[in-house]
């Protein structure tokens, strides 16, 4: 059988280059956003598959959905595109017995998956595994992957990973400090798209670094400067982006129909419009299972998007002639309707939302300190050791490409680490009014459920 030769050239520098020669059992590339960490790791595992017939590799992220929209796009379009085009590498959709992944003509296989559904990908052995954005996974996830690296078709086995910096006390950073994991520090000059060979910013690089320069607070320190830092004056200091019940993130599951639903809304156009969909379990815990977080659209457009997430068009519906048509007309619901829609006090926005959703709204209790304290209480472990508030992974209905390109939050969970007190007066009385739209929306919901006094809340029938 003829051998297919795949020629591919990348330019790697710094940590991205160093990782090619490293054979450490555990190796982490850590650094700010945009340094080329992911493409370097994906290129390494791809070329290992080409060079070692019969090798088995694994590409992972905390959830399969996030991997599909991030790492696999990079792999398909920037790493393996030539091999895919000439048939050396092809997609395999998986079966009941085997995980989905990329098959190579030399017998190598790269399985792909999310650690939220690990059964198939963890049922076999591998030579190398790559975890994208490793600060999202738990220590148990990490160690579980390590136990599967024993296939033996390559002269070494390696758990390879990348991440942006997180809290200084994160378990992964501690693992690097105690020597269990080797860490390489990636910087923006490693990326030839941002800096040329002479150390000058490229046109793309100038625009990209300009976006990072406009970040503030903890997001700037982590994503622009590459520092492992906690936010000064962080408001929700008990929040942990770790698996329930040790943290506040929960893998997706089908919410029972008998769990009450609540929606919370904060209006915006330049700033994000946020609609969070919550369910309350039999123990009174609140779980956010759906979110709309989008800029640049009008209320009627948002209403249509929200209804697309919870209902389907009724093919038999005929709208009466000469009557106004709103988004809720001719829809068949797939989930229970919310018992309450809690909204910011924008009168025009509420009126438009009511018309297009076909449901009344309730004005939010906007007492800031009382609402923040109510959220803080829910974030702390209750008597059974579990917090009374959680966020389902992959709740976002649609990614706001403009927010993402500007390295700004694209969902509420991304806002929380940077939601901080304004300490300019030396008191913890007011949050910094910046990148807080999702946190405000969260506060409205918890205040409505937990605070007896409704203040000046108004109703719109």
């Amino acid at each position: 059988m003829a051998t297919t030769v795949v020629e591919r050239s990348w330019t790697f520098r710094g940590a991205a280059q160093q990782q090619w020669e490293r054979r450490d059992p555990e190796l982490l590339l850590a650094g700010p956003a945009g340094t080329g960490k992911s493409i370097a790791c994906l290129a390494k595992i791809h070329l290992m598959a080409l060079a070692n017939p019969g090798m088995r590799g694994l590409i992972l992220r905390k959830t399969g959905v996030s991997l599909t929209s991030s790492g696999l796009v990079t792999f398909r379009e920037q790493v393996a595109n030539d091999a895919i085009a000439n048939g050396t590498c092809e997609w395999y959709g998986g079966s009941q017995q085997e995980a989905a992944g990329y098959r190579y003509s030399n017998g190598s296989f790269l399985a792909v998956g999310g650690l939220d559904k690990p059964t198939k990908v963890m049922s076999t052995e591998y030579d190398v595994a790559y975890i994208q954005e490793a600060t999202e996974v738990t220590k148990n996830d990490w160690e579980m992957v390590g136990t599967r690296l024993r296939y033996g078709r390559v002269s070494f086995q390696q758990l390879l990973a990348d991440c942006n910096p997180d809290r200084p006390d994160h378990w992964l950073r501690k693992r690097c400090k105690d020597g269990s994991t080797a860490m390489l520090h990636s910087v923006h000059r490693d990326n030839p798209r941002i800096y040329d060979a002479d150390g000058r910013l490229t046109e793309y690089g100038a625009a990209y670094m300009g976006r990072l320069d406009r970040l503030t607070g903890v997001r700037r320190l982590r994503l622009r400067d590459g520092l492992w830092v906690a936010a000064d004056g962080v408001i929700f200091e008990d929040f942990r982006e770790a698996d329930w019940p040790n943290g506040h993130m929960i893998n997706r599951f089908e919410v029972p129909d008998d769990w009450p639903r609540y929606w919370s809304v904060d209006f915006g156009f330049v700033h994000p419009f946020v609609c969070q969909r919550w369910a309350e379990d039999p123990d009174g815990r609140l779980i956010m299972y759906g979110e709309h977080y989008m800029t640049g659209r009008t209320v009627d457009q948002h209403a249509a998007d929200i209804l697309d997430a919870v209902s389907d068009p009724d093919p038999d519906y005929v709208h009466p002639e000469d009557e106004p048509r709103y988004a809720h007309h001719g829809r068949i619901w797939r989930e229970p309707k919310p018992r309450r829609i809690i909204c910011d006090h924008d009168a025009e926005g509420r009126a438009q939302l009511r018309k297009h959703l076909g449901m009344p709204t309730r004005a939010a209790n906007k007492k800031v300190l009382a609402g923040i304290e109510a959220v803080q209480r829910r974030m702390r472990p209750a008597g059974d050791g579990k917090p009374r508030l959680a966020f389902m992974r992959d709740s976002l209905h649609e990614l706001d490409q403009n927010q993402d390109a500007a390295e700004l939050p694209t969902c509420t969970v991304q806002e929380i680490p940077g939601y901080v007190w304004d300490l300019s007066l030396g008191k913890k009385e007011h949050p910094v009014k910046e990148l807080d739209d999702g946190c405000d929306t969260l506060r409205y919901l918890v205040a409505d459920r937990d605070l007896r006094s409704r203040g000046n809340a108004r109703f719109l029938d």
Side-chain angles (χ1 to χ4, degrees):
M1 183 173 104
T3 300
T4 302
V5 177
V6 179
E7 294 184 2
R8 192 63 198 265
S9 175
W10 296 278
T11 300
F12 292 117
R13 307 179 190 139
Q17 175 62 36
Q18 295 168 34
Q19 59 102 21
W20 287 91
E21 286 78 38
R22 299 290 291 263
R23 300 294 184 261
D24 309 77
E26 298 181 8
L27 180 63
L28 174 69
L29 273 68
T35 60
K37 302 181 294 293
S38 293
I39 192 171
C41 293
L42 288 166
K44 179 175 183 175
I45 197 170
H46 172 59
L47 292 185
M48 286 179 67
L50 290 171
N52 297 273
M55 186 204 88
R56 293 188 63 86
L58 184 56
I59 300 174
L60 294 165
R61 194 164 174 174
K62 181 59 186 181
T63 70
V65 171
S66 57
L67 178 65
T68 299
S69 63
S70 57
L72 293 189
V73 174
T74 302
F75 184 81
R76 184 175 63 249
E77 297 181 356
Q78 300 183 51
V79 174
N81 49 327
D82 289 347
I84 293 171
N86 65 31
T88 302
C89 172
E90 63 179 11
W91 173 252
Y92 165 68
S95 66
Q96 290 185 342
Q97 292 75 34
E98 189 172 17
Y102 284 93
R103 286 175 167 171
Y104 289 73
S105 58
N106 65 358
S108 294
F109 183 67
L110 296 183
V112 305
L115 285 163
D116 54 334
K117 298 178 181 178
T119 305
K120 286 185 182 178
V121 293
M122 292 292 104
S123 64
T124 188
E125 299 173 352
Y126 301 92
D127 294 288
V128 61
Y130 161 56
I131 300 178
Q132 186 181 44
E133 206 51 59
T135 49
E136 297 175 346
V137 309
T138 66
K139 186 177 181 181
N140 182 64
D141 291 334
W142 181 274
E143 293 178 343
M144 178 175 63
V145 174
T147 66
R148 311 315 300 163
L149 302 180
R150 57 192 188 200
Y151 193 56
R153 289 295 181 95
V154 182
S155 60
F156 67 99
Q157 279 68 53
Q158 186 173 73
L159 175 48
L160 179 65
D162 67 35
C163 72
N164 297 323
D166 202 278
R167 306 184 315 275
D169 62 346
H170 194 281
W171 68 266
L172 187 54
R173 187 166 187 255
K174 290 180 180 179
R175 195 173 182 87
C176 294
K177 282 190 168 184
D178 70 21
S180 300
T181 304
M183 181 192 290
L184 296 175
H185 296 278
S186 182
V187 297
H188 289 112
R189 289 182 182 273
D190 292 350
N191 190 343
R193 289 193 70 196
I194 294 178
Y195 284 90
D196 66 20
D198 296 322
R200 296 185 297 257
L201 278 171
T202 64
E203 182 178 354
Y204 168 84
Y208 185 78
M209 294 305 296
R211 292 199 298 270
L212 295 184
D213 288 339
R214 289 191 289 273
L215 298 178
T216 58
V218 69
R219 290 182 62 79
R220 178 186 172 93
L221 293 173
R222 292 177 181 175
L223 299 181
R224 199 272 181 221
D225 301 334
L227 301 177
W228 294 76
V229 294
D232 285 338
V234 64
I235 293 175
F236 298 138
E237 56 188 16
D238 290 302
F239 174 76
R240 295 291 180 268
E241 197 170 350
D243 287 349
W244 175 277
N246 299 315
H248 296 85
M249 304 304 297
I250 191 165
N251 291 334
R252 294 206 70 77
F253 64 90
E254 193 71 29
V255 179
D257 284 346
D258 60 350
W259 289 16
R261 314 299 173 99
Y262 301 94
W263 295 1
S264 186
V265 176
D266 188 64
F267 295 101
F269 186 83
V270 176
H271 290 278
F273 170 101
V274 182
C275 176
Q276 299 166 351
R277 307 201 314 277
W278 293 83
E280 189 172 54
D281 77 5
D283 293 323
R285 290 186 176 85
L286 294 170
I287 300 171
M288 193 188 82
Y289 66 95
E291 181 171 24
H292 297 258
Y293 191 106
M294 184 63 63
T295 59
R297 294 180 186 172
T298 56
V299 172
D300 61 313
Q301 292 174 312
H302 291 303
D305 292 340
I306 294 167
L307 289 171
D308 279 344
V310 300
S311 65
D312 297 309
D314 182 351
D316 299 323
Y317 178 78
V318 178
H319 190 72
E321 293 184 8
D322 301 325
E323 288 192 13
R325 180 75 185 263
Y326 297 112
H328 69 88
H329 288 137
R331 307 294 300 189
I332 300 174
W333 280 66
R334 297 192 301 270
E335 65 177 55
K337 291 185 178 182
R339 294 190 177 185
R340 191 171 301 150
I341 302 175
I342 305 105
C343 290
D344 190 10
H345 291 186
D346 184 297
E348 183 179 352
R350 288 181 61 203
Q352 286 293 314
L353 192 66
R354 175 190 176 277
K355 286 193 298 186
H356 285 281
L357 291 181
M359 293 178 285
T361 66
R362 181 173 190 165
N365 180 336
K366 297 191 71 172
K367 291 183 177 179
V368 177
L369 279 180
I372 285 174
E373 289 169 357
V375 177
Q376 290 172 329
R377 286 192 292 272
R378 278 193 173 265
M379 284 193 172
R380 298 181 194 123
D384 60 0
K386 301 174 183 178
R388 297 181 60 243
L389 182 148
F391 302 85
M392 269 200 199
R393 298 185 186 277
D394 298 319
S395 290
L396 192 64
H397 180 62
E398 178 186 354
L399 179 69
D400 187 325
Q401 300 290 345
N402 292 328
Q403 289 283 108
D404 189 48
E407 301 289 350
L408 295 173
T410 60
C411 63
T412 298
V413 166
Q414 290 181 5
E415 284 185 9
I416 291 175
Y419 187 54
V420 297
W421 296 109
D422 184 347
L423 300 177
S424 60
L425 299 178
K427 300 178 181 179
K428 295 181 178 180
E429 292 185 346
H430 304 285
V432 173
K433 289 304 295 176
E434 185 177 71
L435 307 179
D436 61 350
D437 306 277
C439 289
D440 282 349
T441 312
L442 164 62
R443 175 167 53 84
Y444 301 158
L445 182 279
V446 175
D448 188 88
R449 301 300 302 136
D450 293 359
L451 301 182
R452 292 182 179 276
S453 173
R454 299 298 179 191
N456 296 319
R458 295 172 286 118
F459 294 85
L460 182 64
D461 297 324

